[in-house]
Each structure stands twice: as structure tokens, then as C-alpha cells.
Amino acid sequence: MTLQASQKNASSIRRAAVIGSGVMGAGIAAHLANAGMQVVLLDVVPRSLTEEEERKGLTLSDAKVRNRLASAAVARMGKAQPAQLYDPSWSSRITPGNLTDHLEALGEADWIVEAVVERLDIKREVLAAIESARKPGAIVSTNTSGLSAASMVEGRSEEFRRHFGVTHFFNPPRYMKLVEIVPTADTAPDVVALLKEVCEKRLGKGVVIAKDTPNFIANRIGTYGMLVTLEDTIRFGLTVEEADALTGPAMGRPKTATLRMLDLVGLDTLLHVVDNVRERSGDPEEQAIFARPPLLEQLVASGRLGEKSGAGFYKKVKGKGGSEIESLKLDTLEYGPKRSINSPIIDASKAAKGAAAKVKALLRTDPRDRYAKFAWSTTKKTLLYSAAQVGIIADSISDIDRAMRWGFNWELGPFELWDAIGLRESVQQMEKEGEEIPVWVRAWLEAGHESFYKVEGNERVYSASGAYKQEEAEADSISLASLKASGKTVLSTAGASLIDIGDDVVLLEFHSANNAIGGDILSAIQQSAKEVSLNWRGLVVANEGRNFCVGANLMLLLMEAQSGEWDEVEDIIRFFQGSMLELKRLDRPVVAAPHRMTLGGGVEACLPADRIIYSPETYFGLVETGVGLIPAGGGCKEAAAMAAERAFIANGGKPGGDLQPHLNALFETIAMAKTSSSGYEVRGLGLMRPQDTVIMRQEARIAEAKRAVLELDRAGYAPPAEERIRVAGREGKAVLKVAVQAMQLSGYISEHDALIAGKLGAVLAGGDIQPGAEVSEQYLLDLECEAFLSLCGERKTQDRMSHMLATGKPLRN
């Protein structure tokens, strides 16, 4: 019996098919495999042989040839950068084939995604083929960036149309959060709901519901913003560098800003998007807005398409000293050295904290300043255009804002930005300048409202049909910003806060610069441990920063080391170690929920937790050797304990067992400063414990960590007893030393690398003691501290630290 959409849920979508193995099709197939689905990836049969196929004597009838396109796409997945799969071995979940020989495979799929070339005639042809093979009730979606969904399914059956809609993934599908779901008038509400659930819960995406209009939400507004920025760049006589300096982080946008982003997107691609809106629109004013910019036409005609052609608004030039970036001179269309842009208003924006304050600083300076005029002009036009699209591209301003945050990585969507600069004040300025204010915005202000959003209790509400409507929260998510805004902060220091997240559970949030661990965070950890022990059921360690934690405060360590303040350095290490032990010994459960970069001290802040809930995008690693040091906040001690535990398990749960292979693996991970490219890869590095898990939706990790705390509490939590850790001793140390010497003799590592690795091996093995001896945690912490201090005194280590701070890159010396 075939289940109807209303009878299904996200977990019932087990088998998927993707048609088209190009960049987007392959990326979507990989991400469906990331979600645990079995995927069939189909493409057309090639019409000719490659030279390699001819040499092998293959013919057009051979399966290897006929499946070549999809097979090659799967083969590339394991090597792709950035990685498409969370684990390269998961490519085995994808079966390549072709549309001619394997069309019947679509009959087993619960969800079929069409991702072929952006041509309406070809999409119609493919959808007709899908209908001939799919099973009744299977969902079919198209990954189009703006073609008419309704036009695609003309001539298809009613049952097919009820199960069809757009799922517009953004590239790359693994990393970009946004998926725009676009139903047609025939799409069943149950199908829309199921697609939303699958994309959110299984794929970890943020979903917005868009209308079937040209380029939907994000590309419509994003493209308009790029066009007006280019127009104003020329009108105000700005350079390429000036325009990007003003429309990047200063305006709460990515570092790629506008013209650099155009190079990444492709200037020809932008023209295609512009053409699509203009040709599909029946509004003469809209058609004029999306006219082809002559400058873009000139650049494309000359083959300057952006990064893919090697030149666009910027050009990379190889010189004797390495590659340099040159910028386009808009008056001559020639390239010259890229200039740094300095301006008081840019400096003011950089100094401001948070996207809202940065934009205010940019716009509220001397209105006679050319940069300020440009920034106001582009901002004003984008806000007015976005407001004019409400009810056309989407019904919800919240969906429009989310689309721009998730699809274009804006820190603030257009309506959030409008609130940030002052809604009433900015509208008054626009009116003075003769701008036409959308009727609904004027009515909203006349009703006495001062903003599009406001917080009521713990919930955010937004303007909708003349009244405030509660914003739909992301499924299973906890917003720390909302909790803090509603007064849920229990205690706070300059670097961290303790927040009540409900059900007698609190969360320790780092919020120092880059979430680097310094004395303020360590003090907060110790204060939090005491507070939690007295008054709470347990503790979550997590935050909503760009990264969980990039490590310890390296600048502080370097300053003390260069000054020879060795007592101060030791105090820092002991403070760090003691704080981690406080977390580990806490008489309440502790669960860490890291995300994105979790490096060095960030890892050491997670390992004391009873459980770690990883985000899929967690880049986890003990990377201290890259700056000439070893982990000394308990990282080596915890690694030694992991090796002993694994030897015990491998020995059938009996005392003893061979420590060396487990020790070798962890030594290699730490000595080579390896990091995972996903939360799932942490296991391969040897840093994941049996109780640790990965959750697909990054936004749900805090809620999941809270559940884990409550589960441990209900089970009658007792803190772990102080460990006695079995170590490999002098024999294990000698094995590691031989491996280091071999690497040095082969030229693989430098003399200083060998020194660092030797000290690391000595700590992990437990020093010069009897093999198999059991030592205390404090014994290993003392070894960590001693090795760390000695390395801090090395000039080459200090050089590595200085280089990392100056460039963000490791120095090999």
C-alpha cells in the first residue's frame, strides 16, 4: 500500500533519487546521503567516448561509459573541496546510473529531486520521464533558482502536480542553510509540510516558503541589491575596492561584499538571473529595474566572467613574490594594484559591536561624506524594494529576512536592518528625498508602531497584515539571544554568561573575542560550577558565536612568555587545568554542544563533559603543535585516558590490553594537528567517545544537549570518580620517539617539530615509568604543564605564536 503524504513523516523518506549530476545535483545527492538516505544519481548517456575510454577499448554500449557522468560525480565527492560528504565512505550510499537504463529505479524512491540544466523545455521533458516511472505518492521536486514551477508541470497528471514543488537548495548544498520551498497552486499542503519537515529535520536546513515568482526570495532581493550597488558605485564615482569596503562587514554582510561576490557567482550567471526576472515580469517598472547593466555586458563579452575565467572585478596575478590581487578600474576597464580603503566612517563601523551598531555607524556620519551617501543610497533602495515585494515573493517579512540571512549570509535581513537604523526616522528621511513608501509600511507607522519586530516574553513577533504575529520558531531550537533579552542571565563576566534555558538547566556561553579562552572565561567556569552544584539540575556548555571556541588566548601567553614571566605562564596553565577539572568533577551532569571551529582549548573545554553533542559542521582538533606547543588544559591527559579505555575494551573488558596502537593513533592526531572536516569525522580522529553523538541540525544541538542533561539527571547522576590511568610508560615513549626520528630523517618534519612531538609523546606515554603503570590525573597534568612551559621558552615556538597571531596561519620552522 502506498502511503499518502499526510501519513508520512521525515523518517519515512528513506530512498531518494536525484536527476542530474552537475554541481548542484551531485551536491544535493551527497547531502541526502549525509542524512542517511539511499540515493540513486542519474544523468544522461554520453554521446561520445573520452580518449581514455577509447584507449581501454570501451564502446558506447558499455555500462561504464553509459553511467560515466553520474559515476564521475560520485568519485569526485570523496575529494571535493569543500567536502560534500560528512564522511567520504558515505559515497557508498549513492548508486550512479543513467536515465535510459535505470529509469525504473525511480519507482523505489520516496523523493525524487530533478536538478538538470535551467531550461524549461528540458525540465518538462525530464519531469515527464519521472512521471512514467515514479510510484504514486512519491514526492517530486525541482531544484530551480527561479523558473516557473507551474509551467514545468503543465501536462502532468493531477496526482503528480499534487506531489510536486520547488526545493531550491543554495550552493554548496551541504553548507548553505537556506532551502526555498515553492508550492504551485496544485501542490497539496501535506506535501509542502512534509518537504519542510524533511529539509529541516533530516537535512538540517532552514526553510522559507516562497511564491512562484521569478527568482523567488533570496535571489530576487540579492540580485536587486547587487544591481543597485553596481549602479551607485558608478554614480558616486567609487572604485571597486571602495564599494566592497562599504558593502561587506561594515554593512553586516560577508567579507565577499558585493563585487567580489559577483565574481564568485559569475558575471554571466548574474546576467542570466537578471534576464529571468525581466523576461518573466509583466511590470514595465520591474523590467526597467532588471535591465542588463552595460558594464556587465562589456565584461562578459570580453570573457571576463569572474573567478571561473580568472578575471572579473578582480584578477589574480602571479608574480615573483607569489600571487597578488588586482582590481578593475571602472573608467578604463584595465586592472591595477588593489588598494586598501581607509575612512573615518569605515573605522567607526569596525569599532562598533554587532551588525546593527555597525550599520548605524556607517549611515549616521556626516551626510556630506561621499561614502555615507553611497551607503545610504544602496541601503535605502534595498529596503524599499524588499518592502514592495511583501505579498509578491513571500507573505512573511520573517521569511524574507531569513532567506537573506541564510541564503546570502547577511547578518540582518532587510526588515531587521530597517529596525536597526530606526524605522520611523529613516522613513522620514526617505520621504524628504521624494521616495515612495509602500502603502503597508506607511499604514504600519500611522498605527503607532515603531518597528517591524519586537520581543514579547521569550518570543519575537513581527509585522503581518497590520498586526504583530508570533514568529515561527525553528523546530527544536533554543535562542540564547532571546533568553538573555528576557532576563534569563544568571551570572555574567566579560567573556562568558550563565543562562537559564528552562527545566532547571543552565547554559554556559562563551562570548569573548573569537570565543578564545582567557581568565574571564575560566573564572566564569569556576563560578558556574559552584552555582550549578547548589541550584541546578545540570549544565550545557554551548554558544551561538560564529565558532564554538578557537582555543586559548594566545596573545596573553605570548606576552608572558616573551617577558619571561614563567610563574605567570604556569599560573595560567594551572588555572585552565583546574577549571576543566571543576567541570569534570561537578556533581551535576555536564553536556557540551560544540559547533564549527572547536580547536585546542575549545576541545579541552568539551572533553570534561559527560557527553558531547556535535553539530555536523564541527571542525574539532587539538591543534597546539601548530603554534609550537602541546595541549596542556587536560587534552593530553584525556587522550591518554581514551587510549587506556580503548585497550581495556579491545581486551574484552579485562585489565591489560595493548595500549600502543591506540596511543599511536592519538599521538598522530595531536602531533599533526589534525582537525575533523565534520562532526562525524571526529570519530576517525580518535577524539570521540562512545557516549558522544552528532545531531544533524546544528540549531537543535542546544535543545538536544539540554535533553541529555535531563536524561542523565533522571537516571540518578553521580560524577565520575578520580581516574587512575594506565599508561604505556618508557617503552611506549620509546616507540613514539622512533616514529618521530623516522619522520625527521625523511625530511617530513623539522627539528623543532621533532622537539614538540617528542615532548608530546612523553606526556601521552606517562613519562619514564614502568609500562602499564597506573597514574593519577594530576600526574599527567603535571607532565603537560612541564612540557608546555619548556616549549614556551623556545624562540621558535614564540615565532610560531607570533606568526599565527599576525597571519592566522601556522609557521613551519
Side-chain angles (χ1 to χ4, degrees), residues 28-65:
I28 292 167
H31 200 56
L32 298 182
N34 285 336
M37 298 181 195
Q38 294 297 315
V39 185
V40 174
L41 178 61
L42 305 182
D43 211 317
V44 295
V45 175
R47 295 180 179 179
S48 60
L49 297 172
T50 64
E51 290 181 5
E52 183 180 357
E53 288 167 344
E54 288 179 348
R55 284 196 303 269
K56 291 180 177 179
L58 298 174
T59 70
L60 289 173
S61 61
D62 285 310
K64 284 188 177 180
V65 175

Side-chain angles (χ1 to χ4, degrees), residues 38 44 82 200 238 378 702:
Q38 294 297 315
V44 295
E200 288 179 341
L238 268 58
T378 59
I702 294 175

Side-chain angles (χ1 to χ4, degrees), residues 17 19 112-117 123 126-127 130 141-144 152:
I19 314 300
I112 302 167
V113 182
E114 171 273 301
V116 302
V117 65
K123 285 185 178 287
V126 171
L127 291 173
I130 290 171
S141 67
T142 176
N143 183 68
T144 177
M152 288 185 207

Side-chain angles (χ1 to χ4, degrees), residues 279-432:
E279 291 166 6
R280 286 185 57 198
S281 175
D283 180 356
E285 187 177 339
E286 188 85 353
Q287 290 173 337
I289 288 171
F290 284 88
R292 282 179 157 226
L295 174 60
L296 287 188
E297 288 190 304
Q298 284 180 270
L299 292 173
V300 171
S302 65
R304 290 181 276 187
L305 309 180
E307 188 168 86
K308 60 187 172 185
S309 69
F313 287 102
Y314 295 93
K315 179 181 180 181
K316 184 179 285 188
V317 179
K318 290 185 178 179
K320 292 182 180 179
S323 295
E324 293 183 355
I325 302 296
E326 294 186 346
S327 62
L328 184 71
K329 308 309 167 187
L330 297 179
D331 52 351
T332 65
L333 297 191
E334 295 178 351
Y335 294 93
K338 181 183 174 185
R339 295 188 305 112
S340 296
I341 305 301
N342 296 304
S343 160
I345 74 165
I346 293 175
D347 291 342
S349 176
K350 286 180 179 178
K353 301 295 184 184
K358 287 181 182 297
V359 177
K360 283 182 185 177
L362 192 65
L363 299 179
R364 290 186 176 176
T365 51
D366 186 349
R368 296 166 296 179
D369 185 286
R370 187 166 56 108
Y371 288 173
K373 287 180 179 180
F374 166 84
W376 168 244
S377 178
T378 59
T379 299
K380 173 182 67 174
K381 291 173 183 176
T382 303
L383 297 182
L384 288 170
Y385 183 78
S386 299
Q389 300 311 305
V390 175
I392 296 174
I393 61 175
D395 288 328
S396 161
I397 68 165
S398 175
D399 272 354
I400 291 174
D401 279 343
R402 287 175 169 182
M404 299 316 298
R405 292 201 314 269
W406 298 341
F408 275 71
N409 293 320
W410 291 9
E411 289 190 55
L412 298 171
F415 299 98
E416 293 167 321
L417 174 59
W418 213 334
D419 279 354
I421 65 175
L423 175 57
R424 188 174 296 277
E425 179 185 348
S426 61
V427 167
Q428 288 171 350
Q429 180 63 30
M430 292 173 189
E431 289 176 325
K432 286 179 184 177

Side-chain angles (χ1 to χ4, degrees), residues 520-780:
D520 48 2
I521 287 181
L522 297 175
S523 294
I525 288 172
Q526 297 206 357
Q527 291 177 54
S528 296
K530 293 179 176 62
E531 169 68 21
V532 172
S533 178
L534 290 171
N535 299 311
W536 304 88
R537 294 172 70 180
L539 176 69
V540 170
V541 181
N543 62 68
E544 292 176 331
R546 178 172 174 77
N547 298 298
F548 175 77
C549 176
V550 298
N553 187 331
L554 196 59
M555 176 62 80
L556 176 62
L557 279 170
L558 178 61
M559 289 171 58
E560 299 290 5
Q562 288 178 331
S563 301
E565 299 289 345
W566 301 116
D567 287 344
E568 292 294 331
V569 175
E570 182 170 359
D571 285 347
I572 292 169
I573 300 167
R574 295 298 187 185
F575 192 18
F576 200 132
Q577 291 178 340
S579 300
M580 297 307 107
L581 279 178
E582 289 258 6
L583 282 180
K584 188 166 185 175
R585 297 281 171 262
L586 186 62
D587 58 355
R588 298 286 186 269
V590 178
V591 178
H595 68 287
R596 293 185 59 84
M597 289 175 64
T598 304
L599 305 175
V603 172
E604 292 176 308
C606 292
L607 292 177
D610 299 289
R611 288 185 193 171
I612 303 174
I613 308 293
Y614 294 95
S615 149
E617 300 300 340
T618 306
Y619 317 129
F620 197 82
L622 291 163
V623 296
E624 285 84 351
T625 59
V627 290
L629 299 167
I630 68 163
C636 290
K637 180 256 296 182
E638 290 296 328
M642 287 181 197
E645 179 65 17
R646 286 164 192 167
F648 176 76
I649 293 170
N651 199 41
K654 299 175 184 177
D658 187 1
L659 276 168
Q660 200 67 50
H662 309 288
L663 190 62
N664 292 349
L666 283 163
F667 170 75
E668 180 179 322
T669 288
I670 301 171
M672 297 181 70
K674 291 183 179 180
T675 60
S676 68
S677 65
S678 75
Y680 295 93
E681 279 196 348
V682 179
R683 189 177 304 281
L685 294 183
L687 296 175
M688 186 180 285
R689 307 161 310 178
Q691 68 267 34
D692 300 335
T693 58
V694 184
I695 186 167
M696 190 68 176
R697 283 193 66 240
Q698 176 167 301
E699 288 70 22
R701 72 189 188 283
I702 294 175
E704 184 64 24
K706 176 183 167 181
R707 275 193 290 271
V709 165
L710 294 172
E711 176 189 322
L712 289 165
D713 177 64
R714 283 192 295 269
Y717 179 78
E722 184 175 348
E723 291 181 85
R724 299 289 296 178
I725 300 168
R726 192 166 72 91
V727 294
R730 63 180 69 96
E731 289 184 7
K733 174 184 170 184
V735 171
L736 297 179
K737 184 176 182 180
V738 169
V740 171
Q741 289 172 339
M743 292 172 73
Q744 185 179 3
L745 289 171
S746 67
Y748 188 72
I749 61 174
S750 68
E751 181 181 354
H752 193 55
D753 288 327
L755 174 67
I756 300 161
K759 290 185 179 291
L760 172 66
V763 175
L764 291 176
D768 290 312
I769 62 173
Q770 184 70 25
E774 291 187 349
V775 300
S776 67
E777 290 182 83
Q778 189 58 54
Y779 171 84
L780 288 172

